[in-house]
Amino acid sequence: FQIINGRTGENSNFTAIEKKFQEVDVLIIGEEHDDKNGHQEKLNLIESLHPKNDFAISLEMFETDQQYL
């Protein structure tokens, strides 16, 4: 799997996401709907952020015409 910063197009990692999470109010994580490995990695990310942060999770599908990045 690959983590890409949607703003810069550059590769990223869990450490960078954890750092950025401290600076922002909203973190949007994209995914492919039929990617079981990707789903597992999202769960791993959420589990790694949870003990260190107080946050809510919202799951939603955005159509391509609603994605402004």
Side-chain angles (χ1 to χ4, degrees):
F1 84 99
Q2 189 174 26
I3 299 174
I4 299 174
N5 182 319
R7 184 166 297 214
T8 67
E10 297 176 359
N11 287 335
S12 192
N13 56 51
F14 279 2
T15 303
I17 292 171
E18 287 180 7
K19 181 179 177 188
K20 192 66 175 173
F21 194 72
Q22 302 304 314
E23 304 169 9
V24 298
D25 293 325
V26 176
L27 178 65
I28 299 174
I29 302 171
E31 50 102 9
E32 292 185 36
H33 288 262
D34 60 350
D35 181 4
K36 182 178 179 179
N37 293 329
H39 294 164
Q40 182 62 52
E41 291 306 318
K42 306 298 176 296
L43 178 59
N44 293 346
L45 176 62
I46 290 166
E47 289 176 339
S48 74
L49 293 173
H50 181 266
K52 304 169 196 161
N53 304 279
D54 182 24
F55 62 93
I57 299 172
S58 175
L59 305 174
E60 184 58 54
M61 183 181 88
F62 294 99
E63 297 291 339
T64 304
D65 64 339
Q66 297 172 326
Q67 298 177 23
Y68 300 107
L69 297 177

